[in-house]
Amino acid sequence: SNQINTTGVPVLSTTIALYPGHGKPGKTVTNKVVLLQNQDAQPAAGLQFDVATDPGATFQGVVSHLSGFSISFAPPDSSGVRFLIFSVGGNSIPGGNTTLMQLVYQVDDTVSLGRRISLTLSESVISNHSSGPIPHNTVDSHIDVGIKGDLANNDGVIDVTDIVFLINIILRNVPVPDAGTFEHFLADLNSDGSINIIDVVRAVNIVIGNA
């Protein structure tokens, strides 16, 4: 038997998690696929899962982060894209939080700003080295569509109202967005992981036409 958390979902040692992606219309965006394993987890020898995408983004391929493993996938169908991750050398996927790969999508240039495109993970199987299944949870994700600096209205234009909003974030007059969120993506104009005066100067330069 497994422990149950307050949401009624079994607390298992292993989870396959999709992470959010952020990008703007007409551009490519990536979503990490991560295997989360605690100290009680069995070593994983291979995985299989499907990822379905709502209209608005087209699957382009993967970037592998696993040494000694092959990643295969079939063309998208009504169930999404099916992925197989395996090792012909009998390798194990390391414990802890292991990034398996990044999924690469092309966001349609007609997608409206502020739109959230859902990614759904299903039909997942994890095998141990004895050819047995490893119980696990799954976490779905999404792609948020927006333009860096467009903080106030998601109107596709960076203007004084966006600069004021950014200043209020830095002064902590409004909640500071957590790293990895869509709001942090929009506010971190130079993509250095921090929200500070450099981003304000970048926004000002965009407004006055110097960037």
Side-chain angles (χ1 to χ4, degrees):
S1 63
N2 294 299
Q3 293 179 324
I4 303 293
N5 66 18
T6 54
T7 64
V9 177
V11 178
L12 302 175
S13 300
T14 300
T15 298
I16 305 174
L18 294 178
Y19 277 56
H22 314 108
K24 58 185 180 179
K27 300 298 183 180
T28 57
V29 61
T30 60
N31 291 73
K32 289 196 303 183
V33 183
V34 177
L35 185 65
L36 310 172
Q37 298 174 294
N38 67 22
Q39 65 270 18
D40 299 322
Q42 302 178 60
L47 299 90
Q48 170 185 323
F49 52 86
D50 297 349
V51 178
T53 311
D54 278 358
T58 304
F59 176 71
Q60 300 292 307
V62 302
V63 178
S64 174
H65 285 250
L66 280 178
S67 176
F69 281 80
S70 297
I71 298 177
S72 300
F73 56 88
D77 60 17
S78 58
S79 300
V81 182
R82 172 155 293 181
F83 299 93
L84 295 177
I85 302 174
F86 58 94
S87 170
V88 296
N91 295 332
S92 295
I93 296 174
N97 298 352
T98 303
T99 300
L100 305 176
M101 59 185 176
Q102 289 177 301
L103 308 179
V104 182
Y105 293 94
Q106 175 83 26
V107 179
D108 296 348
D109 55 12
T110 57
V111 175
S112 58
L113 296 170
R115 167 94 180 277
R116 172 166 286 185
I117 302 169
S118 295
L119 304 179
T120 305
L121 195 153
S122 64
E123 302 298 325
S124 59
V125 180
I126 304 178
S127 176
N128 59 26
H129 284 285
S130 300
S131 300
I134 297 176
H136 61 279
N137 290 321
T138 61
V139 178
D140 297 332
S141 195
H142 54 265
I143 297 169
D144 283 319
V145 182
I147 295 174
K148 279 185 174 292
D150 184 16
L151 290 158
N153 301 307
N154 259 327
D155 56 6
V157 177
I158 301 173
D159 54 25
V160 173
T161 60
D162 299 303
I163 295 174
V164 171
F165 198 97
L166 180 58
I167 290 170
N168 279 321
I169 289 175
I170 296 171
L171 294 178
R172 298 186 176 90
N173 293 329
V174 298
V176 179
D178 293 329
T181 63
F182 185 44
E183 291 74 16
H184 193 281
F185 164 80
L186 295 177
D188 182 15
L189 274 78
N190 70 335
S191 301
D192 67 351
S194 300
I195 302 172
N196 53 36
I197 188 61
I198 296 174
D199 300 300
V200 175
V201 173
R202 170 75 175 165
V204 170
N205 282 329
I206 291 173
V207 170
I208 66 177
N210 287 343

mmCIF file of all heavy atoms in Angstrom, residues 179-197:
data_model
loop_
_atom_site.group_PDB
_atom_site.id
_atom_site.type_symbol
_atom_site.label_atom_id
_atom_site.label_comp_id
_atom_site.label_asym_id
_atom_site.label_seq_id
_atom_site.Cartn_x
_atom_site.Cartn_y
_atom_site.Cartn_z
ATOM 1 N N ALA A 179 10.738 32.185 -9.705
ATOM 2 C CA ALA A 179 11.518 31.715 -10.848
ATOM 3 C C ALA A 179 10.823 30.527 -11.484
ATOM 4 O O ALA A 179 10.283 29.660 -10.802
ATOM 5 C CB ALA A 179 12.925 31.339 -10.410
ATOM 6 N N GLY A 180 10.817 30.507 -12.808
ATOM 7 C CA GLY A 180 10.195 29.412 -13.537
ATOM 8 C C GLY A 180 8.755 29.656 -13.915
ATOM 9 O O GLY A 180 8.192 28.900 -14.705
ATOM 10 N N THR A 181 8.137 30.724 -13.357
ATOM 11 C CA THR A 181 6.752 31.028 -13.701
ATOM 12 C C THR A 181 6.691 31.895 -14.958
ATOM 13 O O THR A 181 7.679 32.506 -15.382
ATOM 14 C CB THR A 181 6.048 31.761 -12.548
ATOM 15 O OG1 THR A 181 6.717 33.023 -12.326
ATOM 16 C CG2 THR A 181 6.094 30.937 -11.273
ATOM 17 N N PHE A 182 5.493 31.948 -15.543
ATOM 18 C CA PHE A 182 5.280 32.765 -16.734
ATOM 19 C C PHE A 182 5.541 34.236 -16.422
ATOM 20 O O PHE A 182 6.150 34.960 -17.223
ATOM 21 C CB PHE A 182 3.846 32.567 -17.222
ATOM 22 C CG PHE A 182 3.529 33.262 -18.520
ATOM 23 C CD1 PHE A 182 4.405 33.222 -19.590
ATOM 24 C CD2 PHE A 182 2.329 33.942 -18.676
ATOM 25 C CE1 PHE A 182 4.101 33.848 -20.789
ATOM 26 C CE2 PHE A 182 2.009 34.558 -19.866
ATOM 27 C CZ PHE A 182 2.901 34.513 -20.927
ATOM 28 N N GLU A 183 5.102 34.686 -15.254
ATOM 29 C CA GLU A 183 5.286 36.087 -14.878
ATOM 30 C C GLU A 183 6.764 36.438 -14.757
ATOM 31 O O GLU A 183 7.184 37.533 -15.128
ATOM 32 C CB GLU A 183 4.548 36.363 -13.562
ATOM 33 C CG GLU A 183 3.032 36.318 -13.651
ATOM 34 C CD GLU A 183 2.474 34.909 -13.769
ATOM 35 O OE1 GLU A 183 3.234 33.937 -13.473
ATOM 36 O OE2 GLU A 183 1.307 34.765 -14.158
ATOM 37 N N HIS A 184 7.563 35.485 -14.222
ATOM 38 C CA HIS A 184 9.010 35.726 -14.123
ATOM 39 C C HIS A 184 9.630 35.783 -15.525
ATOM 40 O O HIS A 184 10.512 36.619 -15.795
ATOM 41 C CB HIS A 184 9.666 34.613 -13.304
ATOM 42 C CG HIS A 184 11.069 34.912 -12.876
ATOM 43 N ND1 HIS A 184 12.152 34.788 -13.720
ATOM 44 C CD2 HIS A 184 11.568 35.343 -11.681
ATOM 45 C CE1 HIS A 184 13.243 35.110 -13.076
ATOM 46 N NE2 HIS A 184 12.928 35.457 -11.840
ATOM 47 N N PHE A 185 9.179 34.917 -16.414
ATOM 48 C CA PHE A 185 9.645 34.939 -17.806
ATOM 49 C C PHE A 185 9.397 36.311 -18.428
ATOM 50 O O PHE A 185 10.273 36.867 -19.113
ATOM 51 C CB PHE A 185 8.921 33.845 -18.599
ATOM 52 C CG PHE A 185 9.008 33.991 -20.092
ATOM 53 C CD1 PHE A 185 10.138 33.589 -20.783
ATOM 54 C CD2 PHE A 185 7.939 34.513 -20.812
ATOM 55 C CE1 PHE A 185 10.216 33.722 -22.167
ATOM 56 C CE2 PHE A 185 8.009 34.645 -22.188
ATOM 57 C CZ PHE A 185 9.140 34.249 -22.874
ATOM 58 N N LEU A 186 8.211 36.879 -18.226
ATOM 59 C CA LEU A 186 7.883 38.170 -18.816
ATOM 60 C C LEU A 186 8.717 39.304 -18.221
ATOM 61 O O LEU A 186 9.121 40.225 -18.943
ATOM 62 C CB LEU A 186 6.396 38.474 -18.612
ATOM 63 C CG LEU A 186 5.394 37.554 -19.309
ATOM 64 C CD1 LEU A 186 3.975 37.962 -18.945
ATOM 65 C CD2 LEU A 186 5.579 37.560 -20.813
ATOM 66 N N ALA A 187 8.980 39.238 -16.900
ATOM 67 C CA ALA A 187 9.667 40.337 -16.220
ATOM 68 C C ALA A 187 11.181 40.302 -16.390
ATOM 69 O O ALA A 187 11.836 41.347 -16.307
ATOM 70 C CB ALA A 187 9.319 40.323 -14.732
ATOM 71 N N ASP A 188 11.748 39.130 -16.623
ATOM 72 C CA ASP A 188 13.204 38.972 -16.750
ATOM 73 C C ASP A 188 13.594 39.225 -18.200
ATOM 74 O O ASP A 188 13.876 38.314 -18.970
ATOM 75 C CB ASP A 188 13.603 37.563 -16.305
ATOM 76 C CG ASP A 188 15.100 37.337 -16.355
ATOM 77 O OD1 ASP A 188 15.857 38.317 -16.464
ATOM 78 O OD2 ASP A 188 15.517 36.157 -16.312
ATOM 79 N N LEU A 189 13.651 40.493 -18.588
ATOM 80 C CA LEU A 189 13.801 40.857 -19.994
ATOM 81 C C LEU A 189 15.118 40.392 -20.607
ATOM 82 O O LEU A 189 15.185 40.095 -21.794
ATOM 83 C CB LEU A 189 13.653 42.373 -20.184
ATOM 84 C CG LEU A 189 12.213 42.872 -20.366
ATOM 85 C CD1 LEU A 189 11.493 42.922 -19.032
ATOM 86 C CD2 LEU A 189 12.184 44.237 -21.037
ATOM 87 N N ASN A 190 16.190 40.349 -19.811
ATOM 88 C CA ASN A 190 17.479 39.941 -20.371
ATOM 89 C C ASN A 190 17.807 38.477 -20.095
ATOM 90 O O ASN A 190 18.914 38.012 -20.373
ATOM 91 C CB ASN A 190 18.603 40.842 -19.859
ATOM 92 C CG ASN A 190 18.902 40.614 -18.386
ATOM 93 O OD1 ASN A 190 18.026 40.162 -17.638
ATOM 94 N ND2 ASN A 190 20.123 40.919 -17.974
ATOM 95 N N SER A 191 16.849 37.739 -19.511
ATOM 96 C CA SER A 191 16.961 36.285 -19.333
ATOM 97 C C SER A 191 18.174 35.867 -18.508
ATOM 98 O O SER A 191 18.792 34.825 -18.785
ATOM 99 C CB SER A 191 16.986 35.580 -20.706
ATOM 100 O OG SER A 191 15.828 35.852 -21.442
ATOM 101 N N ASP A 192 18.517 36.656 -17.484
ATOM 102 C CA ASP A 192 19.651 36.272 -16.639
ATOM 103 C C ASP A 192 19.210 35.607 -15.339
ATOM 104 O O ASP A 192 20.024 35.298 -14.475
ATOM 105 C CB ASP A 192 20.531 37.486 -16.336
ATOM 106 C CG ASP A 192 19.834 38.535 -15.465
ATOM 107 O OD1 ASP A 192 18.610 38.402 -15.232
ATOM 108 O OD2 ASP A 192 20.505 39.488 -15.043
ATOM 109 N N GLY A 193 17.904 35.412 -15.171
ATOM 110 C CA GLY A 193 17.393 34.755 -13.983
ATOM 111 C C GLY A 193 17.015 35.692 -12.854
ATOM 112 O O GLY A 193 16.452 35.257 -11.855
ATOM 113 N N SER A 194 17.327 36.989 -12.981
ATOM 114 C CA SER A 194 17.008 37.971 -11.948
ATOM 115 C C SER A 194 16.133 39.076 -12.523
ATOM 116 O O SER A 194 16.171 39.360 -13.728
ATOM 117 C CB SER A 194 18.292 38.589 -11.379
ATOM 118 O OG SER A 194 19.118 37.596 -10.804
ATOM 119 N N ILE A 195 15.340 39.701 -11.649
ATOM 120 C CA ILE A 195 14.524 40.849 -12.046
ATOM 121 C C ILE A 195 15.058 42.052 -11.298
ATOM 122 O O ILE A 195 14.968 42.130 -10.060
ATOM 123 C CB ILE A 195 13.035 40.611 -11.703
ATOM 124 C CG1 ILE A 195 12.521 39.339 -12.392
ATOM 125 C CG2 ILE A 195 12.198 41.820 -12.122
ATOM 126 C CD1 ILE A 195 11.135 38.931 -11.957
ATOM 127 N N ASN A 196 15.655 43.005 -12.028
ATOM 128 C CA ASN A 196 16.298 44.144 -11.388
ATOM 129 C C ASN A 196 16.364 45.331 -12.342
ATOM 130 O O ASN A 196 15.708 45.335 -13.387
ATOM 131 C CB ASN A 196 17.694 43.747 -10.878
ATOM 132 C CG ASN A 196 18.540 43.106 -11.969
ATOM 133 O OD1 ASN A 196 18.457 43.498 -13.131
ATOM 134 N ND2 ASN A 196 19.344 42.119 -11.592
ATOM 135 N N ILE A 197 17.180 46.323 -11.990
ATOM 136 C CA ILE A 197 17.254 47.566 -12.756
ATOM 137 C C ILE A 197 17.692 47.327 -14.200
ATOM 138 O O ILE A 197 17.333 48.095 -15.108
ATOM 139 C CB ILE A 197 18.200 48.576 -12.049
ATOM 140 C CG1 ILE A 197 18.153 49.948 -12.721
ATOM 141 C CG2 ILE A 197 19.628 48.031 -12.012
ATOM 142 C CD1 ILE A 197 16.785 50.597 -12.690
#
